[in-house]
Amino acid sequence: MKYTVITGASSGIGYESAIAFASRGKNLIIAARRTEELEELKSKVAEINSSLDVIIRTVDLSATANVYEFYESLRDYQIETWINNAGFGNYASVGEQNLNKIETMLHLNIEALTILSSLYVRDYAEVEGTQIINISSRGGYTIVADAVTYCATKFYVSAFTEGLAQELSNKGAAMQAKVLAPAATETEFAKRSLDIDEFRYEGAVPKFHTAQEMAGFLLELYDSQKVVGIVDGETYEFELRDPIYPYVTRTRK
């Protein structure tokens, strides 16, 4: 039995992506900090297809020890697709940002993603049909005012994943690595970035996609042979592209 792992699955793009993959008949391993929301998602999946197996892992991936423990807890499952979706943003100037929050963001957006990607590649790079999809952002290709540190974390995600894709391809590995770069999406992202209780996208954000739309784009990327799925920052059209960052192969002596 094969599984699709989705981190940050309790809401937003992660939640809707779980629904989308369940609609494809995929068994799921869903992870997040909030157990109640994961249980709700499991019930929703059962309504779609009661024969699917859904494994819940309640975990805070901003703590390094938890990241390793989470991966080790999945040793008995055959993982077909790994989606690193867990992450959050922050809006503040560099000199005024809350460093406790920033440390947590760096641990989650960069460290956890890197560790989980590395472990998955180590175990599954030569397994046919496997994919790793890391969720970046338009902010992983464009620096946004008052979100410099967040964008920097997503530049890392984009560069790391594109580089991984090139590396796997050059080695002739079976696994594909891909990066999804959403623009503004109607999720809990704005609330956590701004540290507020409520945020309405309608009327406040000129253009945005719903989380369900982004999950649809994620499936398009999953089905394609392209490495990058990115939303155009002006038109908000979704594009499938080859790697964007330059990649230089090392000359061996």
Side-chain angles (χ1 to χ4, degrees):
M1 188 179 289
K2 298 178 181 179
Y3 290 82
T4 295
V5 174
I6 304 175
T7 68
S10 59
S11 66
I13 295 172
Y15 183 98
E16 293 296 342
S17 295
I19 297 297
F21 275 84
S23 298
R24 291 279 187 95
K26 303 293 186 181
N27 299 301
L28 299 171
I29 298 171
I30 50 176
R33 295 173 303 151
R34 299 177 292 182
T35 307
E36 186 176 340
E37 282 79 355
L38 292 176
E39 293 286 0
E40 178 192 326
L41 174 55
K42 183 174 181 176
S43 297
K44 183 70 174 179
V45 170
E47 294 174 10
I48 296 169
N49 186 340
S50 60
S51 68
L52 295 180
D53 192 22
V54 179
I55 307 298
I56 286 176
R57 288 289 187 271
T58 303
V59 59
D60 180 358
L61 293 173
S62 67
T64 305
N66 294 348
V67 178
Y68 285 99
E69 289 173 7
F70 168 60
Y71 190 85
E72 286 300 316
S73 78
L74 305 182
R75 287 290 183 188
D76 292 337
Y77 301 97
Q78 185 177 355
I79 301 169
E80 181 180 44
T81 305
W82 190 291
I83 301 172
N84 282 313
N85 170 71
F88 67 89
N90 183 69
Y91 288 120
S93 67
V94 172
E96 297 176 345
Q97 58 190 3
N98 179 333
L99 287 179
N100 288 329
K101 182 180 179 183
I102 293 303
E103 284 182 13
T104 303
M105 184 175 73
L106 293 173
H107 285 312
L108 184 59
N109 292 14
I110 293 177
E111 187 177 75
L113 178 140
T114 304
I115 292 169
L116 292 173
S117 297
S118 301
L119 292 172
Y120 183 60
V121 169
R122 188 175 298 173
D123 289 340
Y124 286 90
E126 301 306 326
V127 179
E128 286 296 332
T130 56
Q131 289 195 36
I132 181 165
I133 303 176
N134 289 330
I135 309 303
S136 180
S137 167
R138 272 299 310 187
Y141 294 93
T142 305
I143 300 173
V144 179
D146 288 329
V148 171
T149 307
Y150 166 71
C151 289
T153 70
K154 292 302 187 177
F155 266 76
Y156 177 89
V157 173
S158 297
F160 173 78
T161 311
E162 286 194 20
L164 172 58
Q166 300 271 24
E167 185 178 281
L168 290 169
S169 177
N170 289 347
K171 290 180 177 179
M175 180 184 291
Q176 292 178 286
K178 301 174 180 179
V179 57
L180 181 73
T185 307
E186 190 178 26
T187 65
E188 295 180 359
F189 175 86
K191 289 198 302 182
R192 190 166 187 193
S193 298
L194 295 165
D195 295 315
I196 56 178
D197 293 331
E198 291 297 330
F199 182 88
R200 288 183 60 83
Y201 279 75
E202 194 70 44
V205 181
K207 292 182 180 180
F208 61 89
H209 288 113
T210 65
Q212 188 175 25
E213 287 173 323
M214 282 312 310
F217 296 152
L218 177 58
L219 281 183
E220 286 185 40
L221 177 62
Y222 173 80
D223 289 335
S224 79
Q225 295 301 309
K226 297 295 187 180
V227 171
V228 180
I230 188 167
V231 174
D232 185 284
E234 294 184 1
T235 66
Y236 267 60
E237 292 181 0
F238 182 66
E239 304 170 357
L240 294 171
R241 298 180 60 176
D242 293 320
I244 294 170
Y245 287 129
Y247 181 77
V248 180
T249 55
R250 183 163 61 95
T251 303
R252 300 180 184 272
K253 292 184 180 180

